[in-house]
C-alpha cells in the first residue's frame, strides 16, 4: 500500500476532464446544510412540543407530584441532580451521600469542580434555563461538525444528530453534553499552524478529565501530527496535566466509587454487559472485559491491517475528530457500563465514515472497513429504539424474553463496531509512535 490508487473522480469543466477529490469544497452546496439544519431543528422541536412521544422511542420521563392530583414531568433531570448537589453543599450537607434535595436522592458522582456551580448563583430553581443553555450549546457545536455536502449525505447526518441517545442526553440535559462542548476545540487547536495554539489542546482535555474522569482517554489525540520535539513535549506535558488532575480528584474519587449506581438494562452499553446478562457481577467481570479490550487492541496494533495508509490532507480534520470520538467511546465501552447518552460522541465519527468510503483515492480495504463501521454505528444507535418501537406494538409479549433475545442479537454487532474502532485507533497510535521516534509523520 505504498502507492495510492490512480483512480480518481472526474469532473467536466469546459469540455476538459480534471481529477477531483470527493473532499473538494467545490462540490459542496450550502443548500444541503440549510436543509439538514431545518430537519434537525424540526425533529428536536417535535419532541419538545410533544414530550409524550419520548416514551414511544424508549425514553422514560420522570414525573413528580407537585400537588394532590397534579403530576408533572421533569425536564433536565440530570442537570437537576447537579444543581441539587450544589444546594446540598450550600445547606451544609455531604453531597457524596444520598441527597434529600434531589428527586431520586442521588449522590454527587462527578468531579468536585461541578460543585462550584453555586458560586455562579445557580440553584435547583435554575434547572430549566441551565438545561436549555447546555442543550443549545451542544446542538450548535454538533451542527458545526456535521456538514452534509449533498442530498445523499443529509439522511446519514440526520440519523446521527436525531438518534435517540442524543434525544435522551438533551431531555435529561446530562453533563456529557458539557464534556462534548469542552472537548470540541481540541481538534481545531491541533490543526492550527501556530504552535502556541496547538499547545492549547491540552487545556480542554485536562478540564474535561477533571469534571468527569473518563475524558482523560482523549489524551490519545495528543499523538497527532507535529514535529518530533513538539510531540515529545506535548505528550510529557499532557502526562503532567493528567497527573495533576488525578491528584485533584483522587480524594473525591475514593468517595464516589462506593456510591456509583448500577447501570443495567436497555439503552446502555459496555463490554461487561455479557457477564451481567449471565448473572456475573462485581469487579472481576469488569477487569476481564477491560483485559479483552486490551488484548484486542494489542492484536490490532501488532497486525496493522491498515498498513501505511494515511488520510488525505483534506481529511485530516475529520480523521482527528474521528479518533477523538472513537477513543472516548472505546475507553468507556471496555472500562465500564454506560448509559446510552454517551453515544453523543459518535457524532464525531460521522463525517469521516461518510466521506472515506466514497473517496476514490483511499485504498479499498480502508474504504470497506469504514463502510462496515458506518453500518455498525447505525445499528448501535438505532437498535434499542427500534426494538422499543416493535415491543410497544405487542404489549402482550413476554418482555423479559424479548429483551434477552434482543440483547443476544445486539451484542455481536456492538463488539464488531468497537473492534473496527480499535483498528483505526491502533493505526493512529502506531503512526504517532513512529513520529515520536522521528521516523515518520503522524497520520
Amino acid at each position: 500500500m505504498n502507492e495510492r490508487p490512480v483512480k480518481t473522480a472526474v469532473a467536466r469543466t469546459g469540455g476538459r476532464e480534471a481529477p477531483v477529490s470527493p473532499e473538494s469544497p467545490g462540490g459542496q452546496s450550502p443548500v444541503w446544510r440549510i436543509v439538514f439544519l431545518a430537519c434537525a431543528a424540526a425533529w428536536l422541536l417535535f419532541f419538545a412540543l410533544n414530550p409524550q412521544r419520548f416514551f414511544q422511542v424508549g425514553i422514560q420521563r420522570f414525573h413528580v407530584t407537585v400537588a394532590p392530583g397534579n403530576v408533572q414531568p421533569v425536564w433536565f433531570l440530570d442537570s437537576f441532580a447537579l444543581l441539587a448537589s450544589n444546594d446540598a453543599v450550600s445547606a451544609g450537607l455531604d453531597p457524596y451521600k444520598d441527597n434529600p434535595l434531589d428527586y431520586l436522592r442521588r449522590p454527587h458522582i462527578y468531579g468536585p469542580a461541578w460543585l462550584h456551580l453555586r458560586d455562579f448563583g445557580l440553584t435547583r430553581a435554575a434547572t430549566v434555563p441551565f438545561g436549555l443553555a447546555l442543550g443549545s450549546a451542544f446542538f450548535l457545536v454538533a451542527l458545526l461538525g456535521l456538514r452534509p455536502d449533498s442530498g445523499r449525505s443529509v439522511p446519514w447526518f440526520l440519523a446521527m444528530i436525531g438518534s435517540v441517545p442524543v434525544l435522551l442526553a438533551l431531555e435529561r440535559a446530562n453533563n456529557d453534553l458539557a464534556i462534548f462542548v469542552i472537548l470540541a476545540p481540541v481538534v481545531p487547536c491541533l490543526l492550527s499552524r501556530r504552535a502556541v495554539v496547538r499547545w492549547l489542546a491540552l487545556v480542554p482535555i485536562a478540564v474535561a478529565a477533571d469534571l468527569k474522569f473518563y475524558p482523560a482517554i482523549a489524551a490519545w489525540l495528543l499523538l497527532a501530527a507535529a514535529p518530533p520535539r513538539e510531540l515529545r513535549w506535548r505528550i510529557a506535558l499532557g502526562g503532567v496535566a493528567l497527573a495533576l488532575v488525578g491528584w485533584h480528584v483522587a480524594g473525591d474519587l475514593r468517595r464516589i466509587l462506593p456510591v456509583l449506581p448500577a447501570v443495567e438494562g436497555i439503552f446502555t452499553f459496555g463490554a461487561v454487559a455479557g457477564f451481567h446478562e449471565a448473572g456475573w457481577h462485581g469487579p472481576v467481570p469488569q477487569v476481564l472485559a477491560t483485559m479483552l479490550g486490551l488484548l484486542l487492541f494489542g492484536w490490532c496494533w501488532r497486525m496493522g491491517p491498515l498498513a501505511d495508509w494515511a488520510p488525505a490532507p483534506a481529511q485530516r480534520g475529520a480523521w482527528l475528530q474521528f479518533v477523538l470520538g472513537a477513543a472516548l467511546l472505546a475507553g468507556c465501552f471496555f472500562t465500564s457500563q454506560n448509559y446510552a447518552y454517551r453515544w453523543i460522541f459518535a457524532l464525531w465519527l460521522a463525517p469521516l465514515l461518510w466521506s472515506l468510503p466514497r473517496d476514490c483515492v483511499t485504498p479499498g480495504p480502508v474504504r470497506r472497513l469504514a463502510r462496515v463501521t458506518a453500518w455498525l454505528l447505525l445499528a448501535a444507535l438505532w437498535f434499542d429504539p427500534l426494538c422499543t418501537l416493535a415491543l410497544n406494538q405487542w404489549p402482550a409479549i413476554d418482555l423479559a424474553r424479548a429483551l434477552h433475545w434482543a440483547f443476544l442479537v445486539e451484542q455481536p454487532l456492538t463488539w464488531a463496531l468497537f473492534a473496527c474502532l480499535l483498528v483505526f485507533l491502533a493505526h493512529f497510535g502506531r503512526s504517532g509512535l513512529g513520529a515520536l521516534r522521528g521516523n515518520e509523520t503522524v497520520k
Side-chain angles (χ1 to χ4, degrees):
M1 225 181 271
N2 293 326
E3 297 182 2
R4 289 181 175 273
V6 295
K7 290 174 62 180
T8 58
V10 175
R12 296 188 179 273
T13 307
R16 294 176 300 172
E17 295 186 351
V20 296
S21 168
E23 296 289 332
S24 173
Q28 297 180 358
S29 170
V31 172
W32 296 116
R33 297 184 186 178
I34 296 172
V35 170
F36 167 67
L37 173 60
C39 292
W43 175 253
L44 297 183
L45 187 62
F46 171 79
F47 283 96
L49 297 178
N50 303 276
Q52 70 276 9
R53 300 293 185 181
F54 279 114
F55 177 78
Q56 293 181 322
V57 293
I59 297 177
Q60 301 288 337
R61 303 197 69 210
F62 183 75
H63 293 71
V64 295
T65 302
V66 296
N70 186 2
V71 179
Q72 294 185 0
V74 176
W75 282 99
F76 311 140
L77 186 64
D78 290 349
S79 283
F80 184 88
L82 280 177
L83 298 176
S85 295
N86 280 267
D87 287 349
V89 175
S90 298
L93 302 175
D94 186 350
Y96 295 102
K97 295 182 178 179
D98 287 355
N99 185 0
L101 303 181
D102 177 53
Y103 294 128
L104 303 180
R105 302 184 66 88
R106 290 167 291 181
H108 185 68
I109 56 172
Y110 309 113
W114 289 107
L115 298 176
H116 291 285
L117 289 174
R118 69 188 191 280
D119 296 336
F120 298 93
L122 295 173
T123 66
R124 287 168 294 166
T127 296
V128 171
F130 180 78
L132 285 174
L134 188 57
S136 299
F138 162 79
F139 188 62
L140 291 175
V141 171
L143 289 177
L144 289 175
L146 302 177
R147 300 181 179 183
D149 56 5
S150 66
R152 291 191 307 157
S153 65
V154 170
W156 164 255
F157 288 108
L158 284 176
M160 300 291 111
I161 192 87
S163 62
V164 173
V166 172
L167 291 177
L168 177 63
L170 290 171
E171 192 274 334
R172 293 201 167 199
N174 184 266
N175 55 5
D176 277 334
L177 299 177
I179 301 303
F180 187 98
V181 173
I182 291 169
L183 289 176
V186 172
V187 170
C189 285
L190 291 174
L191 290 174
S192 175
R193 295 182 178 181
R194 301 176 61 185
V196 65
V197 178
R198 294 196 296 270
W199 284 109
L200 292 178
L202 297 171
V203 177
I205 294 174
V207 170
D210 187 70
L211 289 172
K212 215 170 176 186
F213 318 129
Y214 75 83
I217 193 64
W220 190 248
L221 206 64
L222 297 180
L223 288 170
R229 179 181 175 85
E230 178 184 330
L231 192 57
R232 294 185 188 102
W233 275 104
R234 182 197 294 166
I235 294 172
L237 291 180
V240 170
L242 292 179
L244 290 174
V245 168
W247 172 80
H248 180 237
V249 303
D252 298 86
L253 190 58
R254 284 194 293 269
R255 304 183 66 187
I256 289 169
L257 289 176
V259 298
L260 283 175
V263 180
E264 299 279 0
I266 197 169
F267 288 102
T268 63
F269 72 97
V272 74
F275 296 101
H276 290 173
E277 183 71 10
W280 192 7
H281 297 267
V284 174
Q286 184 58 74
V287 171
L288 290 176
T290 303
M291 290 179 62
L292 284 173
L294 291 174
L295 289 173
L296 183 57
F297 180 78
W299 180 87
C300 295
W301 184 287
R302 181 176 179 181
M303 299 303 294
L306 301 186
D308 59 352
W309 165 75
Q315 295 172 331
R316 187 161 175 258
W319 169 238
L320 293 180
Q321 197 177 55
F322 176 94
V323 171
L324 176 58
L328 291 166
L329 288 172
C332 291
F333 177 76
F334 288 108
T335 61
S336 61
Q337 186 77 353
N338 311 269
Y339 287 113
Y341 41 67
R342 199 151 291 175
W343 281 112
I344 62 173
F345 298 109
L347 297 182
W348 284 332
L349 310 182
L352 189 76
L353 291 182
W354 174 259
S355 65
L356 206 57
R358 294 159 181 82
D359 182 10
C360 57
V361 298
T362 296
V366 180
R367 294 202 306 271
R368 286 191 291 272
L369 177 63
R371 188 175 295 110
V372 169
T373 305
W375 282 107
L376 291 171
L377 179 60
L378 276 177
L381 293 177
W382 285 98
F383 186 88
D384 285 346
L386 292 177
C387 283
T388 302
L389 284 171
L391 293 175
N392 284 337
Q393 306 306 312
W394 297 288
I397 198 171
D398 185 340
L399 185 60
R401 184 176 179 83
L403 290 176
H404 173 71
W405 281 105
F407 174 86
L408 294 180
V409 173
E410 183 181 27
Q411 285 306 294
L413 298 175
T414 306
W415 272 87
L417 169 63
F418 282 98
C420 292
L421 296 184
L422 289 184
V423 172
F424 284 110
L425 290 173
H427 178 71
F428 180 82
R430 283 165 55 94
S431 303
L433 183 61
L436 188 63
R437 293 170 175 169
N439 297 332
E440 57 180 281
T441 303
V442 178
K443 277 82 170 179

